[in-house]
Amino acid sequence: MGKPLTRAFFSRSVHEVAPDLIGVILLVNGVGGRIVEVEAYHHTDPAAHSFRGPTARNAVMFGPPGFAYVYRSYGIHWCLNFVCEPKGSASAVLIRALEPTTGLPLMRRRRGTTDGRLLCSGPGRLCEALGITGAHSGAALNAPPFKLFARTAPVEVVAGPRIGITKAVDKPWRYGLKDSRFLSKPFPAATTRAA
DNA sequence: TGCCCGATTAACT
DNA sequence: GTTAATCGGGCAA
């Protein structure tokens, strides 16, 4: 297990933090796994919730880095983000998929399936598997119930267009672990880079 | 106040 | 491949 992630880890450009999160271990109350897919959202990005300025929903994004921003998607699902960059830049990384490693029985029960690939492969699915709700929005990532551990070996990261958005669709700000079985979708003709 | 639509998912045909 | 579920945010009136 790697070292716990510090505030400094998140106090960088969201475009540096996002690929660096691939391979990181994320646990919530001891349940979770390895991050295999994320997307970066910057406040100058029309696809970002923070693009049009602060609101009650996105206020956490305008706060300091190293905190969780959780929002409800399509009125049904929860989605987990990590706030990045210096306070006020309103940038965050959406956690889109995990490779489940710890607490599988509880995740199976919460998700209602025993198919490992359906436990955490998607932003809504992983929040359900880890028990994340809007109550976690604003919580610090370096304190319970969150635990984040840096990767201990280099990984191969692929990049591609983000999923499910209608603005800035050309930006290659989705990052994934190359050849992972636990991606929410494959990467099309992806560019590979060591990280 | 009303209307449209979304950083999704699962169950359809 | 297509579509319902489900509701709060954002914008027009």
Side-chain angles (χ1 to χ4, degrees), chain A residues 53 73 104 123 152 162 188:
Chain A
S73 174
L104 269 73
T152 54
R162 293 174 294 180

Side-chain angles (χ1 to χ4, degrees), chain A residues 72-145:
Chain A
R72 208 197 264 284
S73 174
Y74 288 85
I76 307 168
H77 310 289
W78 296 106
C79 292
L80 172 65
N81 295 252
F82 296 163
V83 177
C84 296
E85 308 202 6
K87 175 180 164 71
S89 94
S91 301
V93 176
L94 170 69
I95 310 303
R96 286 194 57 89
L98 304 182
E99 175 181 337
T101 61
T102 308
L104 269 73
L106 184 50
M107 286 194 271
R108 291 188 187 112
R109 193 163 79 230
R110 285 169 171 162
R111 289 278 301 121
T113 178
T114 56
D115 186 335
R117 300 172 68 148
L118 294 179
L119 291 180
C120 298
S121 295
R125 289 169 178 165
L126 79 85
C127 281
E128 187 173 37
L130 271 55
I132 295 168
T133 70
H136 294 91
S137 201
L141 295 172
N142 60 358

Side-chain angles (χ1 to χ4, degrees), chain A residues 39-41 44-49 51-52 161-173:
Chain A
E39 285 176 0
Y41 289 87
T44 57
D45 168 9
H49 288 172
F51 182 67
R52 295 172 204 287
R162 293 174 294 180
I163 301 213
I165 56 172
T166 58
K167 297 163 192 161
V169 293
D170 55 309
K171 299 291 193 286
W173 292 338

Side-chain angles (χ1 to χ4, degrees), chain A residues 154-192:
Chain A
V155 295
E156 278 198 296
V157 176
V158 293
R162 293 174 294 180
I163 301 213
I165 56 172
T166 58
K167 297 163 192 161
V169 293
D170 55 309
K171 299 291 193 286
W173 292 338
R174 175 181 178 229
Y175 302 94
L177 178 63
K178 188 185 181 190
D179 297 330
S180 171
R181 300 165 41 227
F182 297 93
L183 298 174
S184 65
K185 288 187 180 177
F187 278 76
T191 310
T192 304

